[in-house]
Amino acid sequence: MGKLVALVLLGVGLSLVGQMFPAFRERMNASREVEPVEPENCRLIEELENGSEDIDILPSGLAFISSGLKYPGLPNFAPDEPGKIFLMDLNEQNPRAQALEISGGFDKELFNPHGISIFIDKDHTVYLYVVNHPHMKSTVEIFKFEEKQRSLVYLKTITHELLKSVNDIVVLGPEQFYATRDHYFTNSFLSLFEMILDLRWTYVLFYSPREVKVVAKGFCSANGITVSADQKYVYVADVAAKNIHVMEKHDNWDLTQLKVIQLGTLVDNLTVDPATGDILAGCHPNPMKLLNYNPEDPPGSEVLRIQNVLSEKPRVSTVYANNGSVLQGTSVASVYRGKILIGTVFHKTLYCEL
């Protein structure tokens, strides 16, 4: 009897998915193609061939890059190689990427880095926080950056029952950060199921050694997260809903939604231009091509700049767009003094002088 009920429920569920799949394809921009917008002074970074899912840049111009993400349902060109953290000095005339050595007893073979965030302590020590997926679980790894040695020292692994399916983090204090949960279900089939049904069960949580709590919820798929330069506002990308949530941060770390900036593309990671306060968004113009990867018809790339974020009518402009002939599956863009690094989930990395 139990098996019969399960089969009936499965049949009903599959029927419902079938009915909603056309709407899902429309939400995923399945037929969209982008018009090229490509700055003249651009080149691919030779050392980065297997993704650069997230990028964070120090005020000094040193850029940290997470590479080699293995994510269920998405392409990966080096499935047997562990992930790495790369460093680039954007002050150099022709910057190159260098893989950072990791010491301190960290299990590098299980390294599967996703979102990253830099924290600079009062004594100017630089810490790198990395979302990691060993065995497809979610942890947050803390490393200390040794600038002279160009290396990372492993310090600590953070786990918690609310840290599931973590996508990105933004660190605002010693072991104090916001993190996004991009799927409610950890099973890849059920994760796709929830996106097709447009379930809004994902959230943003706040973590500290004293308190862990959900501070914003109701997202279709909470993805990239960052903070304004004055740390008064937190920006959250809801990738499947094609928008950015502008949240006010309170003294108790709670978040209140101020507005939603609706976009016509699927927004992945977010960064803030330190010179202007604008948001830079790495976007997927047609993510169906990510889910059904075909090298003959690859996924495109798109980078948007959102100006006047807090105004009634923020200005959205396209910084970069490509149909996949150069860059596939853009996930992030970060700027430093007229230079921009554009990263991807699994593909290459583009460096441009604007």
Side-chain angles (χ1 to χ4, degrees), residues 88-349:
M88 287 182 65
D89 187 346
L90 299 184
N91 296 295
E92 295 176 355
Q93 186 172 358
N94 294 297
R96 301 176 63 90
Q98 171 190 357
L100 293 176
E101 290 294 327
I102 300 177
S103 62
F106 181 69
D107 191 343
K108 292 176 281 190
E109 292 302 314
L110 293 178
F111 198 27
N112 187 11
H114 202 163
I116 62 175
S117 182
I118 295 167
F119 174 66
I120 305 174
D121 213 341
K122 294 179 180 179
D123 63 359
H124 306 294
T125 302
V126 174
Y127 297 92
L128 183 68
Y129 287 62
V130 182
V131 175
N132 187 22
H133 301 295
H135 302 296
M136 295 304 169
K137 305 294 183 181
S138 288
T139 63
V140 174
E141 316 292 351
I142 305 177
F143 303 95
K144 183 172 72 170
F145 175 54
E146 297 287 355
E147 185 170 352
K148 290 183 179 179
Q149 291 78 19
R150 289 293 201 266
S151 66
L152 297 173
V153 179
Y154 166 68
L155 299 179
K156 185 176 183 179
T157 296
I158 294 176
T159 60
H160 191 274
E161 60 182 8
L162 289 178
L163 287 169
K164 293 181 179 179
S165 196
V166 180
N167 187 295
D168 196 16
I169 57 173
V170 59
V171 184
L172 300 181
E175 294 189 40
Q176 295 172 314
F177 58 82
Y178 292 109
T180 57
R181 179 172 183 169
D182 60 9
H183 289 97
Y184 179 81
F185 295 108
T186 54
N187 176 277
S188 57
F189 174 77
L190 292 177
S191 295
L192 180 60
F193 188 82
E194 73 175 273
M195 291 187 69
I196 293 174
L197 294 182
D198 197 22
L199 302 180
R200 296 175 182 266
W201 293 355
T202 69
Y203 53 71
V204 177
L205 65 86
F206 168 72
Y207 178 93
S208 75
R210 294 183 178 182
E211 181 181 30
V212 184
K213 60 182 179 179
V214 174
V215 292
K217 55 186 178 180
F219 299 92
C220 189
S221 182
N223 197 291
I225 186 169
T226 192
V227 66
S228 62
D230 58 12
Q231 297 196 355
K232 292 181 179 180
Y233 305 99
V234 172
Y235 309 132
V236 183
D238 190 340
V239 59
K242 295 186 283 192
N243 59 36
I244 297 173
H245 293 246
V246 179
M247 321 285 288
E248 183 178 6
K249 181 174 72 70
H250 302 287
D251 291 340
N252 64 353
W253 300 98
D254 285 348
L255 299 177
T256 301
Q257 181 173 289
L258 294 181
K259 64 189 300 182
V260 177
I261 303 173
Q262 200 67 40
L263 302 167
T265 188
L266 282 82
V267 191
D268 200 323
N269 286 324
L270 307 174
T271 63
V272 170
D273 185 335
T276 64
D278 300 342
I279 296 175
L280 276 294
C283 304
H284 303 289
N286 185 342
M288 292 300 290
K289 292 185 179 182
L290 275 175
L291 299 174
N292 300 291
Y293 182 72
N294 177 2
E296 301 300 320
D297 186 22
S301 292
E302 190 172 26
V303 174
L304 300 182
R305 177 183 288 270
I306 298 93
Q307 298 171 282
N308 304 319
V309 176
L310 298 176
S311 68
E312 290 187 9
K313 294 183 178 180
R315 182 171 181 266
V316 180
S317 58
T318 303
V319 176
Y320 179 84
N322 177 263
N323 62 7
S325 61
V326 176
L327 208 60
Q328 303 174 13
T330 286
S331 56
V332 67
S334 194
V335 295
Y336 172 76
R337 294 185 179 179
K339 304 167 185 177
I340 185 169
L341 271 178
I342 304 174
T344 65
V345 179
F346 66 93
H347 196 235
K348 302 179 180 181
T349 305

